[in-house]
Amino acid sequence: MASQSAGAPVIAILFAVSFSHLLNDAIQAVLPAIYPMLKTHFELSFEQIGNITLTFQLFASVLQPLVGMYSDHRPQPYSLPIGMSITLVGIIVLACASSYQWVLAAAALVGMGSAVFHPEASRIARLASGGAHGFAQSVFQVGGNAGSSFGPLLAAAIVVPYGLAYVGWFTLAAVTGIGVLIWVGRWYSAALAEAAARSSAKASLLQQDQVARPPTRTVIQGVSVLIVLIFSKYFYLSCMVSYFTFYLIHRFEASIPTSQIFLFLFLFSVALGTIIGGPVGDRYGRKVVIWISILGTAPFTLLLPHAPLWGVGVLVVPIGFILASAFSAIVVYAQELMPGKVGLVAGLFFGFAFGMAGIASAVLGKLAD
């Protein structure tokens, strides 16, 4: 079966999907990175800034589980380049925006493109795994982590110095992603055709790991716990990304460049934990990785508010690494609880849980004020 075959073509597909994830998340990270510019340019209130985030989250987060459920029943090999094309239109609208309403429209389009991308991309990563599901999910997710880190840096280098119109340069990333995803779509389409030609038919490819289903009550309880866990982790991650630099500046009077270096240390550790946690889960069991991730972060987190500046730099490395080590294990565990529902699981975990964590992070910011 194509999805299970080992070798360079499958590995190439896996890394192509991860690279596309990097491009997708880098583009969507541009929007919040230029909020100060949008606020000044269109004379927006903080409430209007919040509405931009809400619009993006509604389309990116709430829509993802619905897209995932649909693609579970009707797989769309070329939905990925279509999703990236929607994102491309959103970037063009943002670059040409002449009013607040057009900014909202751009946020909706970028969110919609993201919602279409994640569920099917996660499924293709699983198909290209050759059975190493944790490793595949780690490679896929680390692409998104890298993109989320690079997006603000690129926005600071390209958009902030020269103006809103320079958002248009990010269309190059979207066009590149479309080209890569058309190639991925061809592989996916061929894999579906190969499975359909066999006696097992197309369903065996989409649900290759479908075995005896656990009781419905067990599935609901298990997935609910996993959603709470991933929400708590995304909430922590979102808060650190949003407020960590402000904490360093306020507490230690650190300079902005110094605070950014500390944030980079944290995000690099998150990426490292994501890529290593998947293979460890494949080898030693996903529950082991999840338990270590739950319990292992707490001691370092409790020490963080009492540490000197150099100590903060030391502590954020294990915090980020251990925190992120269970990301792929949680998603793959949920996929095993719900065989044949890869799209729905991806929508719930990449979309809904992450989106709700972002909104909760905004609420925490209001509390901090």
Side-chain angles (χ1 to χ4, degrees):
M1 183 177 297
S3 65
Q4 292 176 321
S5 63
V10 173
I11 295 299
I13 291 295
L14 181 57
F15 280 93
V17 175
S18 179
F19 176 65
S20 301
H21 197 187
L22 182 153
L23 295 175
N24 179 84
D25 284 24
I27 292 171
Q28 72 179 32
V30 169
L31 186 61
I34 62 171
Y35 276 173
M37 176 180 289
L38 294 174
K39 188 178 187 301
T40 302
H41 187 78
F42 295 107
E43 298 181 352
L44 303 181
S45 66
F46 284 110
E47 181 180 358
Q48 287 174 312
I49 292 292
N51 287 336
I52 297 173
T53 300
L54 180 61
T55 300
F56 172 80
Q57 295 290 8
L58 282 175
F59 281 87
S61 303
V62 178
L63 195 59
Q64 272 196 56
L66 301 179
V67 173
M69 283 192 292
Y70 180 82
S71 63
D72 283 334
H73 296 287
R74 288 188 167 90
Q76 305 293 324
Y78 292 99
S79 63
L80 292 177
I82 291 173
M84 190 66 78
S85 298
I86 296 172
T87 299
L88 171 63
V89 175
I91 286 295
I92 294 172
V93 170
L94 182 60
C96 301
S98 58
S99 67
Y100 170 63
Q101 287 72 24
W102 281 111
V103 174
L104 289 178
L109 287 167
V110 173
M112 191 183 304
S114 183
V116 173
F117 173 82
H118 282 101
E120 203 73 311
S122 182
R123 184 199 316 282
I124 292 175
R126 187 172 179 86
L127 292 177
S129 68
H133 298 143
F135 168 73
Q137 200 59 231
S138 289
V139 172
F140 173 64
Q141 288 182 233
V142 82
N145 290 343
S148 297
S149 302
F150 292 151
L153 295 177
L154 292 173
I158 298 172
V159 183
V160 174
Y162 303 109
L164 186 60
Y166 277 73
V167 169
W169 281 101
F170 287 88
T171 58
L172 296 177
V175 170
T176 301
I178 291 169
V180 172
L181 291 172
I182 288 174
W183 178 68
V184 171
R186 287 174 182 162
W187 177 87
Y188 187 22
S189 182
L192 292 175
E194 180 185 340
R198 296 171 180 242
S199 58
S200 55
K202 185 184 294 185
S204 67
L205 179 64
L206 299 175
Q207 302 175 1
Q208 56 181 293
D209 54 344
Q210 188 162 359
V211 292
R213 293 177 179 272
T216 301
R217 184 176 179 181
T218 301
V219 172
I220 293 174
Q221 290 177 342
V223 171
S224 297
V225 170
L226 293 174
I227 287 177
V228 171
L229 288 177
I230 204 76
F231 168 82
S232 67
K233 289 179 175 296
Y234 279 147
F235 177 48
Y236 191 110
L237 179 62
S238 181
C239 289
M240 286 290 282
V241 171
S242 299
Y243 308 119
F244 184 44
T245 54
F246 293 106
Y247 167 75
L248 295 174
I249 293 169
H250 177 75
R251 173 84 186 272
F252 301 106
E253 298 183 353
S255 65
I256 292 177
T258 298
S259 67
Q260 291 291 342
I261 291 172
F262 276 70
L263 180 59
F264 171 77
L265 279 175
F266 174 72
L267 292 174
F268 179 80
S269 302
V270 168
L272 195 62
T274 300
I275 195 66
I276 292 177
V280 172
D282 286 336
R283 184 176 179 86
Y284 298 105
R286 312 200 198 289
K287 287 184 180 180
V288 173
V289 175
I290 292 171
W291 273 112
I292 291 174
S293 182
I294 293 170
L295 301 176
T297 309
F300 301 103
T301 301
L302 292 173
L303 287 172
L304 191 65
H306 309 287
L309 183 60
W310 66 267
V312 171
V314 172
L315 290 171
V316 294
V317 173
I319 287 174
F321 182 89
I322 299 171
L323 175 77
S325 62
F327 281 171
S328 58
I330 289 173
V331 173
V332 174
Y333 196 5
Q335 290 171 347
E336 291 170 350
L337 284 173
M338 302 174 67
K341 303 293 183 184
V342 176
L344 175 59
V345 170
L348 285 172
F349 286 83
F350 291 120
F352 183 74
F354 183 76
M356 293 305 102
I359 293 172
S361 172
V363 173
L364 184 65
K366 196 173 185 102
L367 180 64
D369 284 338

